[in-house]
């Protein structure tokens, strides 16, 4: 099993439960494990009955288990403040207002949220030496999976920007005929330096996702969830990120054969329906079904979590590097 | 003033004139042409970075906003150029000094 494990899937299928259970399983196997939640409606706190913040915090009462919750909105805000701070150092006060507007605009575009989340992913992956396993509980937005395909795309884009910038600087240098001073030189250009730095980060993210990460999709035995999963598998495969396995969650239990009340009949029918669907999942999807988790009456937390963890047939051992 | 001095002075004058002529006819237009080209390609760069300033959503503007502190002056000039520029011909024609 790779160091970084991602759990994705439609909203409400139980990604958080499964990620926490898997995190617990890893921790109990002796791996120092960090569970990272990116769902703005953080439910990791509910599962462990403990409030988590932006930095890894030990989970009370569990050994080897840490958790953190990323808030993209906060991250966007911080990014914006950082830029504004740098700006007041660099730019004369006269133009600050004009540019402030652009900065705020850039942080309110639809992609900002995703970009911030992605930045934090890279951060966490880059600073995770002390952990043996990092489990990402991804947000249920359609964008989250796409996020993982971002590095290549962004790399290309940034590369083109560097190219353009280099070209214009080259022209500025050439325009400096005779003993004129060039308006800009490539060596001192902070823009190219900044862009190159970014590009390297994306490269790191792309490499890490391709080589050191596994992806699992969580789904429920219902049509919507199955369809969404099939799309997600397609997307991920397109980005060169293979899906390692599927976790079928919230499977209805089978009533005993001698029961025949209205409830039992309902449950039996449902159970049979679901059995067919799971069979279909098994046969039509390429990734194997690694776990079938029965629906619980109560919220999964505390001791129940350990039970769920036991039902997960996902390998825990680390791949020798 | 000796004759030699006067000749030297005359030669300086001629040299200055010749250089001025060279600068006006060859050096300056060439310089201007390249600098314009540089500015044009700079504009393209700025546009690729901050397309959202003109209402076109850009997937990287979140990242390129980081460049703004270093592009301050340029950004403002660029924005003004983009709003003011009426046509490509108008800009390309500037070099002929009609």
């Amino acid at each position: 099993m790779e160091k970084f494990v991602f759990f994705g899937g439609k909203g409400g299928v139980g990604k958080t439960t499964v990620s926490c259970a898997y995190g617990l399983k890893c921790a109990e196997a002796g791996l120092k494990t960090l569970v990272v939640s990116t769902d703005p409606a953080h439910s990791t706190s509910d599962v462990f009955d403990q409030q988590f913040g932006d930095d890894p915090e030990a989970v009370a009462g569990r050994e080897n288990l840490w958790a953190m919750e990323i808030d993209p909105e906060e991250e966007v805000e911080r990014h914006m403040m950082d830029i504004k701070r740098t700006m007041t150092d660099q730019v004369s006060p006269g133009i600050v207002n004009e540019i402030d507007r652009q900065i705020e605009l850039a942080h309110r575009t639809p992609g900002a949220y995703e970009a911030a989340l992605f930045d934090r992913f890279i951060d966490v992956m880059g600073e995770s030496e002390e952990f043996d396993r990092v489990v990402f509980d991804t947000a249920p937005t359609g964008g989250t999976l796409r996020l993982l395909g971002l590095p290549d795309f962004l790399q290309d884009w940034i590369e083109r920007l560097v190219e353009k910038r280099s070209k214009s600087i080259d022209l500025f240098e050439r325009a400096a005929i005779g003993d004129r001073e060039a308006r800009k030189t490539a060596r001192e250009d902070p823009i190219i330096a900044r862009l190159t730095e970014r590009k390297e980060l994306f490269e790191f993210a792309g490499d890490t996702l391709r080589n050191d990460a596994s992806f699992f999709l969580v789904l429920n035995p219902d049509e919507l969830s199955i369809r969404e999963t099939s799309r997600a598998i397609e997307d991920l495969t397109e980005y060169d990120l293979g899906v390692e396995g599927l976790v079928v969650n919230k499977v209805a239990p089978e009533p005993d054969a001698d029961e025949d009340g209205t409830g039992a009949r309902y449950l039996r029918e449902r159970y049979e329906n679901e059995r067919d669907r799971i069979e279909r999942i098994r046969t039509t999807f390429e990734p194997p079904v690694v776990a079938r988790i029965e629906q619980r009456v109560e919220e999964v937390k505390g001791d129940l979590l350990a039970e769920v963890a036991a039902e997960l047939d996902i390998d825990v051992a680390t791949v020798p590097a | 003033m000796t004759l030699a001095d006067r000749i030297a002075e005359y030669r300086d004058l001629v040299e200055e004139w010749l250089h001025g002529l060279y600068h006006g006819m060859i050096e300056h237009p060439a310089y201007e042409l390249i600098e314009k080209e540089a500015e044009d390609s700079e504009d393209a760069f700025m546009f690729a970075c901050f397309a959202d300033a003109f209402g076109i959503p850009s997937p990287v503007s979140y990242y390129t906003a980081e460049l703004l502190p270093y592009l301050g002056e340029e950004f403002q000039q660029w924005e003004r150029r983009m709003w003011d520029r009426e046509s490509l011909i108008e800009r390309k024609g500037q070099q002929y000094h009609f």
Side-chain angles (χ1 to χ4, degrees):
Chain A
M1 184 61 49
E2 268 81 19
K3 175 164 178 179
F4 303 104
V5 181
F6 287 81
F7 286 95
K10 198 174 147 295
V13 292
K15 288 182 296 295
T16 307
T17 310
V18 174
S19 339
C20 290
Y22 180 67
L24 183 67
K25 198 177 159 100
C26 293
E28 274 172 1
L31 295 173
K32 218 177 150 191
T33 306
L34 173 66
V35 177
V36 185
S37 162
T38 60
D39 193 335
H42 292 303
S43 26
T44 330
S45 298
D46 300 332
V47 174
F48 292 121
D49 263 332
Q50 185 184 337
Q51 205 61 48
F52 298 102
D54 202 47
D55 290 304
E57 244 169 88
V59 177
R62 311 265 187 201
E63 224 174 304
N64 288 330
L65 193 57
W66 275 258
M68 66 189 281
E69 295 181 340
I70 298 172
D71 185 353
E73 228 148 295
E74 214 172 276
E75 184 61 25
V76 170
E77 193 68 21
R78 191 165 59 196
H79 188 251
M80 188 160 86
M81 282 306 152
D82 265 0
I83 295 177
K84 286 191 176 176
R85 210 168 309 121
T86 332
M87 192 172 62
T88 32
D89 297 344
Q90 296 274 340
V91 174
S92 61
I95 25 182
V96 163
N97 279 345
E98 186 75 18
I99 293 171
D100 253 5
R101 224 188 45 212
Q102 170 63 25
I103 292 178
E104 274 173 32
L105 194 68
H107 287 82
R108 258 183 283 127
T109 49
Y113 192 85
E114 257 110 358
L117 204 52
F118 187 65
D119 270 5
R120 290 292 289 149
F121 271 15
I122 302 180
D123 273 357
V124 173
M125 288 193 291
E127 289 164 12
S128 63
E129 288 110 12
E130 56 169 322
F131 294 101
D132 302 312
R133 168 80 27 91
V134 182
V135 181
F136 288 95
D137 167 20
T138 63
T141 47
T144 312
L145 283 179
R146 235 189 27 230
L147 197 72
L148 303 172
L150 231 47
D152 278 344
F153 172 73
L154 290 176
Q155 238 169 286
D156 281 358
W157 191 288
I158 298 254
E159 220 159 277
R160 277 194 355 243
L161 285 182
V162 173
E163 222 168 86
K164 274 212 177 76
R165 178 77 182 178
S166 309
K167 193 183 143 213
S168 65
I169 286 194
D170 185 49
L171 283 167
F172 274 122
E173 277 179 344
R174 258 190 272 169
I177 296 175
D179 41 11
R180 269 165 180 281
E181 184 100 19
R183 257 160 63 176
K184 290 162 194 152
T185 53
R187 241 176 325 115
E188 292 159 8
D189 192 45
I191 307 294
I192 291 185
R194 244 355 239 270
L195 288 172
T196 315
E197 206 177 291
R198 266 284 168 207
K199 204 184 117 219
E200 277 159 12
L201 267 186
F202 293 143
E203 250 161 16
F204 163 77
D207 285 350
T208 312
L209 286 174
R210 257 188 300 275
N211 304 325
D212 302 319
S214 318
F215 299 88
F216 290 93
L217 292 173
V218 182
L219 72 163
N220 295 153
D222 62 52
E223 285 305 325
L224 278 180
S225 173
I226 291 175
R227 247 178 283 159
E228 175 125 353
T229 306
S230 123
R231 267 196 302 269
I233 294 176
E234 258 170 55
D235 283 353
L236 282 169
T237 316
E238 198 183 308
Y239 303 137
D240 227 357
L241 308 167
V243 178
E244 211 110 332
L246 305 171
V247 177
V248 187
N249 191 21
K250 296 192 186 164
V251 181
E254 188 182 18
D256 292 334
D258 56 325
E259 284 177 279
D260 197 33
T262 322
R265 277 203 302 275
Y266 164 79
L267 203 54
R268 191 165 295 122
E269 197 169 316
R270 181 160 170 177
Y271 175 80
E272 266 153 30
N273 259 338
E274 288 186 355
R275 205 182 41 195
D276 291 345
R277 290 202 187 116
I278 294 171
E279 198 43 46
R280 220 173 69 221
I281 293 170
R282 242 184 246 288
T283 47
T284 54
F285 288 147
E286 206 177 319
V289 173
V290 288
R292 260 187 60 173
I293 300 168
E294 252 183 34
Q295 177 127 41
R296 301 289 196 278
V297 181
E298 294 161 63
E299 285 291 302
V300 174
K301 50 162 73 170
D303 292 337
L304 260 183
L305 197 62
E307 257 178 62
V308 172
E311 286 177 44
L312 278 176
D313 186 22
I314 304 178
D315 200 9
V316 174
T318 349
V319 173
Chain B
M1 197 180 276
T2 64
L3 183 64
D5 281 343
R6 288 176 63 177
I7 292 177
E9 196 180 309
Y10 181 68
R11 281 180 58 166
D12 279 350
L13 196 69
V14 168
E15 211 165 288
E16 198 190 317
W17 267 85
L18 280 178
H19 184 256
L21 212 57
Y22 172 74
H23 178 77
M25 291 178 70
I26 308 205
E27 201 176 60
H28 185 69
Y31 166 80
E32 205 178 49
L33 205 65
I34 301 175
E35 188 143 88
K36 275 261 157 64
E37 187 69 36
E39 274 172 15
D40 277 352
S41 82
E42 183 89 333
D43 285 355
F45 167 79
M46 294 291 262
F47 194 76
C49 283
F50 309 109
D52 55 340
F54 296 91
I56 302 164
S58 155
V60 291
S61 57
Y62 180 85
Y63 296 111
T64 49
E66 287 169 18
L67 308 176
L68 278 170
Y70 308 96
L71 285 173
E73 213 108 1
E74 280 168 63
F75 178 78
Q76 227 192 358
Q77 290 163 359
W78 168 73
E79 222 182 10
R80 200 167 302 138
R81 270 207 303 277
M82 295 303 273
W83 289 119
D84 288 349
R85 186 184 292 184
E86 278 166 19
S87 70
L88 190 67
I89 298 177
E90 181 233 316
R91 165 132 176 116
K92 288 284 175 206
Q94 271 174 24
Q95 53 179 296
Y96 296 110
H97 303 287
F98 287 127

